[in-house]
Amino acid sequence: MSILKNKISLGSSSALFSLLQDSNESVASLAMEQILQLPDFEAQIRSAQDSSEPMLRRRVHQLSSIARRREYMGQFLRSALKGRIGLWRAMLLLDHLYDQQSSFSYLESMSKALIHEFSSSRGGSNSLARFMREHKFCIPGDNWFDVGNYLLGDVLESRVGSSALLCIIAQHIGSFRGWHSHIVLHQGRYCLLDQNLSMIDPSEDWKLHRKLKDELYHICDSKAVLTSIISQLFAFALVNWDPWEIHLFSKMLLSMAKLGAEELPYPLGNYNSPTVKKTGEG
């Protein structure tokens, strides 16, 4: 490793870019780490992306992808922390952060097709509930632990997803017809409540409940819904023990809750660790 550090410390940006072509993956990775920290990173990438060297072009493409994901993660965390991120935008970013092949344009094209179809309806809660039912949007009959139930792209493609994702999609479609709603919790399920206190329950095949009493629902803000979704994804990552997914979703949760990594449950953090003395113990 000392040899690698000496090679990296040779210095200039041109030297770093030349190391991207090194056959030793460790050398190339260290060079990429340094390049990502360059103050003129974007300009350097632009100048190198048309190189005649295939290896250099490939690694420059990797660098661009890493930089975009970092930018999206920063955007996601800053907005979520302040509670200023809309759920639709949050789901777009989350899908892209999870799946490198995800495309914003593809996700938007699927949603625009649905919006276009719904635009010819009369609008309102009844029409929206019927529209979602006729387009086969539903909660999963089995395989509740499928990550895809909580990812926008998967749900738009399969029409199967968690009640939270189904509410977000329906709310987004309805908003283009001037239909406004809140996402609420009702008997542990996410539902949509319109301005007339009529509630659409996607878990009951989009059944419409009229004039719901206040004590039967709890209005959720965007941050609460988003935290719930990411918590589910984090739980699935733990069950599958996928290191990359655990890192991704724990970083989101900890940032949103303003907590340190030590607050994670043992063995990821110190919470409930057998080696940490509990408060109040003598």
Side-chain angles (χ1 to χ4, degrees):
M1 183 58 72
S2 61
I3 296 175
L4 299 182
K5 288 183 177 178
N6 288 336
K7 294 182 75 173
I8 294 295
S9 66
L10 289 176
S12 70
S13 58
S14 58
L16 288 170
F17 275 92
S18 68
L19 289 175
L20 291 181
Q21 301 176 73
D22 199 298
S23 58
N24 187 320
E25 290 286 339
S26 297
V27 172
S29 294
L30 283 170
M32 291 173 77
E33 288 178 19
Q34 296 296 316
I35 291 170
L36 284 165
Q37 298 174 40
L38 292 174
D40 56 345
F41 169 78
E42 291 185 8
Q44 293 282 354
I45 287 295
R46 282 196 298 271
S47 65
Q49 63 187 4
D50 296 325
S51 169
S52 59
E53 298 293 336
M55 177 68 79
L56 180 57
R57 287 200 308 273
R58 180 171 70 83
R59 285 185 169 146
V60 164
H61 177 74
Q62 288 177 322
L63 280 166
S64 298
S65 177
I66 292 169
R68 279 196 303 273
R69 288 171 65 79
R70 285 187 177 183
E71 179 186 343
Y72 292 143
M73 176 62 93
Q75 184 183 137
F76 180 92
L77 294 178
R78 286 192 300 272
S79 301
L81 192 60
K82 296 175 182 177
R84 295 177 182 174
I85 191 168
L87 283 172
W88 183 257
R89 177 62 179 169
M91 290 302 100
L92 288 172
L93 287 170
L94 182 59
D95 201 273
H96 196 74
L97 287 166
Y98 180 81
D99 180 5
Q100 294 187 39
Q101 303 304 314
S102 177
S103 162
F104 291 136
S105 59
Y106 177 58
L107 296 177
E108 291 287 18
S109 68
M110 285 193 287
S111 66
K112 285 178 180 177
L114 292 166
I115 290 165
H116 178 72
E117 287 188 60
F118 185 64
S119 65
S120 60
S121 73
R122 294 177 60 186
S125 299
N126 244 329
S127 295
L128 182 60
R130 184 170 57 252
F131 178 85
M132 298 299 287
R133 189 184 308 115
E134 290 174 350
H135 283 74
K136 310 298 183 185
F137 281 98
C138 62
I139 61 171
D142 51 19
N143 203 13
W144 285 88
F145 299 104
D146 186 348
V147 171
N149 294 328
Y150 291 86
L151 295 173
L152 183 61
D154 289 49
V155 179
L156 285 172
E157 286 181 339
S158 69
R159 307 292 171 94
V160 177
S162 64
S163 60
L165 265 290
L166 295 179
C167 284
I168 291 169
I169 292 169
Q171 187 179 57
H172 182 67
I173 293 170
S175 69
F176 285 84
R177 291 281 287 141
W179 185 80
H180 301 291
S181 66
H182 292 289
I183 294 180
V184 300
L185 267 178
H186 169 69
Q187 296 181 352
R189 305 189 301 271
Y190 283 106
C191 303
L192 289 168
L193 188 74
D194 70 13
Q195 293 174 313
N196 298 314
L197 301 183
S198 293
M199 188 189 75
I200 301 174
D201 188 346
S203 300
E204 291 191 335
D205 198 25
W206 302 95
K207 182 177 179 179
L208 185 65
H209 300 266
R210 304 279 186 186
K211 301 296 182 182
L212 210 66
K213 294 180 180 179
D214 291 352
E215 62 267 21
L216 295 179
Y217 64 84
H218 171 75
I219 295 177
C220 304
D221 61 21
S222 296
K223 188 174 181 180
V225 177
L226 185 56
T227 301
S228 173
I229 291 169
I230 297 173
S231 296
Q232 289 287 353
L233 291 169
F234 178 59
F236 297 157
L238 288 175
V239 169
N240 296 323
W241 202 247
D242 186 303
W244 183 83
E245 292 182 13
I246 290 171
H247 170 75
L248 175 68
F249 298 128
S250 65
K251 182 175 181 179
M252 291 178 177
L253 282 176
L254 290 170
S255 296
M256 291 172 67
K258 299 181 181 179
L259 296 173
E262 68 279 359
E263 299 294 334
L264 288 172
Y266 178 82
L268 300 174
N270 293 332
Y271 183 75
N272 274 346
S273 169
T275 61
V276 177
K277 184 179 291 187
K278 295 181 180 178
T279 303
E281 287 186 357

